[in-house]
């Protein structure tokens, strides 16, 4: 399995490669625009050229994945917000296509005051449209629905939600799932022991199909199983525990898959200084990985 982290693209998307390589990432996740703003300055030709050059140079950091803006909600019952979200998602997919990035993950969304089923139908409609409208601009980019923790009216916490959306888009080859360990655990699927892991993955296979699982987010959980709380803990320091991650890392089915940390970047130590946590979490994962 290829392990990496969410890396800052501050100062230009191409800069993320060097940062990722410096801390030993074998793959990386990034934002190609501000995640908390709707607007995005179009990528300049120079940015694209520099990114592609870095992609050629840093062959040790592959594949790259994008995380779309947190503002996007294509489950929204508000037609204005829905269209705004849809257009933002489309721009994100187009940017990934321009940069030759093979994976983009987005949060399926919240149904708000409507019913969950209506929300799921709206998500499916948005995914279908984005696949059609970016068929030429991002032909090699897979659009992944992230598994969610089930906070509030968030959809995507049940494997059935993801299965429904993928089914509605005809199991399109450019649609897939991003499996977030913290979120899946928070949603009530156990991953802690080899037996629990086997049961959960068998359920995912039966409901969604393992072939649709394209990429992982590796986060431990600050809350217990099934609490629907989306709070990421350092690897081995949460309620999933090290064995939970060893289950994925040593499963030969995921040998070519990428997994990205989205755990807190820094922690304070006794003397008041802060230490970088990604290298520590990466080292923990590397120790747990006994197959290559
Ligand atoms: Zn996410
Ligand atoms: Zn999360």
């Amino acid at each position: 399995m290829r392990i990496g982290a969410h890396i800052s693209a501050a100062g230009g998307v191409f800069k993320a490669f060097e940062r990722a390589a410096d801390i030993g990432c074998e793959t990386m996740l990034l934002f190609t625009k501000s995640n908390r703003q709707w607007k995005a300055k179009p990528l300049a030709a120079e940015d694209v050229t520099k990114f592609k050059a870095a992609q050629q140079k840093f062959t040790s950091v592959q594949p790259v994945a994008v995380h779309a803006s947190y503002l996007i909600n294509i489950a929204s019952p508000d037609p204005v917000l829905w269209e705004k979200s849809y257009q933002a998602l489309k721009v994100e997919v187009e940017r990934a296509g321009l940069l030759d990035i093979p994976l983009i993950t987005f949060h399926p969304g919240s149904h708000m005051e409507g019913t969950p089923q209506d929300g799921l139908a709206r998500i499916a409609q948005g995914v279908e449209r984005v696949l059609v409208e970016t068929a030429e601009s991002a032909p090699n980019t897979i659009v992944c629905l992230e598994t969610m923790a089930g906070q509030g009216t968030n959809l995507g916490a049940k494997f059935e939600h993801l299965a429904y959306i993928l089914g509605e888009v005809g199991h399109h080859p450019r649609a897939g799932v991003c499996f977030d360990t913290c979120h899946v655990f928070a949603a009530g699927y156990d991953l802690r022991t080899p037996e629990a892991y086997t049961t959960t993955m068998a359920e995912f296979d039966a409901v969604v199909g393992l072939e649709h699982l394209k990429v992982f987010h590796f986060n431990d959980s600050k809350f217990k199983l099934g609490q629907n709380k989306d709070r990421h803990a350092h690897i081995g320091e949460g309620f999933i525990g090290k064995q939970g991650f060893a289950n994925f890392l040593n499963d030969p089915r995921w040998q070519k898959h990428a997994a990205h940390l989205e755990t807190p970047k820094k922690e304070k130590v006794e003397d008041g200084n802060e230490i970088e946590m990604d290298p520590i979490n990466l080292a923990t994962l590397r120790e747990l990985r006994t197959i290559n």
Side-chain angles (χ1 to χ4, degrees), residues 67 70 107 146-149 151 180 182-183 217 219-220 229-232 262:
H67 200 305
Y70 297 135
H107 295 177
E146 183 167 344
T147 57
M148 299 307 286
Q151 290 194 143
D180 184 309
C182 169
H183 300 176
H217 288 171
N219 305 306
D220 209 328
K229 291 255 179 35
D230 181 4
R231 294 284 306 282
H232 302 180
E262 292 176 307

Side-chain angles (χ1 to χ4, degrees), residues 142-191:
I142 300 176
V143 179
C144 297
L145 300 150
E146 183 167 344
T147 57
M148 299 307 286
Q151 290 194 143
T153 67
N154 270 355
L155 296 164
K158 292 192 167 80
F159 292 162
E160 285 79 4
H161 292 171
L162 306 165
Y164 169 83
I165 299 162
L166 293 179
E168 286 296 289
V169 301
H171 293 101
H172 194 289
R174 287 180 55 227
V177 172
C178 170
F179 191 107
D180 184 309
T181 51
C182 169
H183 300 176
V184 167
F185 184 74
Y189 299 98
D190 201 356
L191 304 165

Side-chain angles (χ1 to χ4, degrees), residues 2-285:
R2 301 189 68 79
I3 52 181
H6 194 185
I7 301 294
S8 163
V13 274
F14 73 96
K15 291 197 174 164
F17 278 102
E18 193 157 5
R19 291 183 188 124
D22 278 352
I23 59 164
C25 286
E26 303 157 354
T27 171
M28 67 175 175
L29 177 67
L30 46 77
F31 295 123
T32 74
K33 58 176 277 292
S34 167
N35 61 318
R36 297 183 195 281
Q37 279 176 23
W38 287 103
K39 283 217 160 63
K41 202 170 66 170
L43 285 165
E46 196 195 338
D47 292 327
V48 176
T49 308
K50 282 183 175 167
F51 187 87
K52 288 187 179 174
Q55 226 168 6
Q56 296 287 318
K57 185 178 166 196
F58 293 94
T59 50
S60 60
V61 187
Q62 304 290 347
V64 178
V66 171
H67 200 305
S69 167
Y70 297 135
L71 299 174
I72 293 169
N73 182 12
I74 58 165
S76 175
D78 174 344
V80 176
L81 187 60
W82 191 91
E83 187 63 27
K84 193 174 184 180
S85 292
Y86 172 75
Q87 293 300 338
L89 177 63
K90 184 180 164 187
V91 165
E92 294 264 15
V93 177
E94 287 171 344
R95 291 167 79 89
L98 208 53
L99 298 170
D100 275 342
I101 294 177
L103 299 156
I104 179 164
T105 292
F106 77 103
H107 295 177
S110 302
H111 60 80
M112 314 303 283
E113 71 269 23
T115 67
Q117 181 50 44
D118 288 347
L120 290 170
R122 287 189 291 267
I123 298 167
Q125 199 191 335
V127 174
E128 168 121 66
R129 185 171 152 198
V130 88
L131 292 171
V132 170
E133 294 186 356
T134 62
E136 278 167 31
S137 55
N140 304 314
T141 303
I142 300 176
V143 179
C144 297
L145 300 150
E146 183 167 344
T147 57
M148 299 307 286
Q151 290 194 143
T153 67
N154 270 355
L155 296 164
K158 292 192 167 80
F159 292 162
E160 285 79 4
H161 292 171
L162 306 165
Y164 169 83
I165 299 162
L166 293 179
E168 286 296 289
V169 301
H171 293 101
H172 194 289
R174 287 180 55 227
V177 172
C178 170
F179 191 107
D180 184 309
T181 51
C182 169
H183 300 176
V184 167
F185 184 74
Y189 299 98
D190 201 356
L191 304 165
R192 292 171 291 187
T193 63
E195 298 73 29
Y197 169 79
T198 301
T199 303
T200 291
M201 297 322 278
E203 184 170 349
F204 187 95
D205 193 25
V207 176
V208 183
L210 289 177
E211 67 277 21
H212 302 300
L213 203 172
K214 304 297 182 187
V215 65
F216 293 87
H217 288 171
F218 269 7
N219 305 306
D220 209 328
S221 173
K222 287 194 176 170
F223 285 87
K224 288 183 181 165
L225 177 69
Q227 298 285 293
N228 300 116
K229 291 255 179 35
D230 181 4
R231 294 284 306 282
H232 302 180
H234 297 299
I235 304 299
E237 291 185 11
F239 284 97
I240 297 176
K242 287 185 180 176
Q243 180 59 49
F245 294 93
N247 295 331
F248 289 96
L249 288 160
N250 299 310
D251 185 335
R253 293 175 295 190
W254 311 128
Q255 252 177 301
K256 293 202 169 72
H257 280 62
H260 305 114
L261 292 165
E262 292 176 307
T263 42
K265 292 285 176 199
K266 290 179 181 182
E267 289 297 342
K268 281 210 166 55
V269 284
E270 288 113 45
D271 59 5
N273 287 329
E274 285 187 323
I275 49 164
E276 296 287 339
M277 291 302 293
D278 280 349
I280 295 172
N281 284 311
L282 288 170
T284 306
L285 292 174

